[in-house]
Amino acid sequence: MTETRPKISLKDVHKAFGPKTVLDGLDLDVAEGRSMVVIGGSGVGKSVMLKCILGLLTPDSGSVEIDGVSVLGLPAGERDRVNRKVGMLFQSAALFDSLPVWENVAFRLLSDGTGRDEAREIAVRKLAQVGLRRNVGHLSPADLSGGMRKRVGLARAIAGDPEIIFFDEPTTGLDPIMSGVINELIVSCVRELGATALSITHDMASAQKIGDRIAMIYNGRIIWNGPADEVAGSGNELVEQFINGRTGGPIQMALRA
Amino acid sequence: MNFLQPIGRVFIGFLGSIGRLTMFTGIALSHVVRPPWYPRIILRQMIEIGYFSLPVVGLTAVFTGMVLALQSFTGFARFNAEGAVANVVVLSITRELGPVLAGLMVSGRIGASMAAEIGTMRVTEQVDALTTLSTNPFKYLVVPRFIAGVTMLPVLVLIADIIGVMGGYLIGVFELGFNAANYLQNTWDFLTAFDVISGLVKAAVFGFIITLMGCYHGYHSQGGAQGVGQATTNAVVSASILILCFDYILTAIFFAAGG
Ligand SMILES: Nc1ncnc2c1ncn2[C@@H]1O[C@H](COP(=O)(O)OP(=O)(O)O)[C@@H](O)[C@H]1O
Ligand SMILES: [Mg+2]
């Protein structure tokens, strides 16, 4: 099959906060059913890029399309229809502290009017899918470890059977083994749903594991974009410095911020 | 001309905040009248505001009533008008001190916790998560708190009125030697429905102010734990000042209306 229409397409996206330019002409396409990972240093605007796609932030200029339709400036009802195709795992999991775990997972179902018993059963199934037992459903998110919170966040993201899933630094703050577990869960969940995935991370091991393609963001643009297995031999100085974690090179951390 | 710059900047910043607050209020109110509503959350907030504030509001009221009885006795004894004590106690409590003190106490308790809770949800991306789960944060977070605040504050104040009058009664009868039946008679005879109702109207307005300030400052907090702390402080301070301002404005309106 030839290249399909991109599921997600960003063109020339600009976003600044006051005098500070964060995205400066960012272009990125994610093909349907593929897993794209965007890498880049802390504070380069990876989360801002995701929030622009999710409609949580509005770009200053440029276009954001999902399924070939622009999603900028949509009225609330239309935006909801787009959001229904989307699942999101936030960097800090962003579980609702006031609700038990199972209500977090079944949040969308409950607000759509699914009965509580049915919603609980679905939540239990989704929790099982991320390797959590039924009784975890009755705990408060405050009682969970970081790795469990991420799993619950993942269960919530996949609970609506989304076509697109976003992962914001899914392994940050986890130990290497738990990172490995989360990476595997992400891969299996995305495959099971047949979903399109867009992840952002600065963890190279994670990027290699969950990405079909890897793109690197620097100075507000995508400066390299290619298959995941070619990133090591990219020949791009910036990419090489980043994946090898060298302090010397074209990326000057201290000069940023 | 440079010294005008900071003044102008502060002034423009002030106008900006007024604008943001007005927008926030407008959006929130527009969601009050549009479904879906969240009855479970409204109920939970009503219990939080109405029921769990009872001890602090009750204690405030009983001591206020007691102090009022003692102080007004001291004053009125100087011109032999001790009989007015019951009267002064009930009017001061229902028209003024019940709503204002309950408002201030609740703003410390509820305004602060709302700002902290919503602020924490903001900085931990829970507010963003609501949006991505097709739930409007205004409907889910702000509207239930508005409704609970505006309905529960009058209930609290009504209870505070009764407890406050009882506090005055206790001191009047057991400390100042009033005849119990006479004291109650004096309390009733001079009380009009308007005294109570004007106090309850104030209470509803204060309930709105407290929840508005709690939600607004929480919703706009940024910058982690420190930002949430700042939001909490701002919510309580601004609600307290607004309560005192609006207390005067409402009193002036009632006064002009002949009450
Ligand atoms: N709502 C906001 N207001 C102001 N500045 C912001 C906001 N969100 C992000 N930024 C700034 O944008 C930059 C990029 O942030 P972010 O996308 O979170 O970085 P990361 O790549 O680590 O995810 C940061 O310098 C941050 O301070
Ligand atoms: Mg980030």
Side-chain angles (χ1 to χ4, degrees), chain A residues 71-90:
Chain A
V71 294
L72 295 181
L74 287 182
E78 306 269 318
R79 183 75 234 185
D80 271 359
R81 208 157 312 136
V82 174
N83 281 349
R84 267 164 213 289
K85 299 183 192 175
V86 171
M88 165 86 186
L89 173 57
F90 285 88

Side-chain angles (χ1 to χ4, degrees), chain A residues 51 54 56 80 83-84 90-92 94-99 107-108 111 116 156 168, chain B residues 38 40 44 117 120-121 123-136 140:
Chain A
K51 285 178 181 171
L54 286 163
L56 298 171
D80 271 359
N83 281 349
R84 267 164 213 289
F90 285 88
Q91 187 164 348
S92 55
L95 303 179
F96 304 124
D97 300 315
S98 57
L99 301 176
F107 191 87
R108 188 191 286 277
S111 57
R116 289 179 73 78
R156 184 174 72 183
D168 189 349
Chain B
Y38 295 91
R40 294 168 67 93
R44 190 194 298 171
E117 187 177 356
T120 305
M121 291 185 72
V123 302
T124 58
E125 299 180 307
Q126 292 177 52
V127 174
D128 289 340
L130 278 177
T131 308
T132 64
L133 292 164
S134 306
T135 297
N136 187 302
Y140 189 82

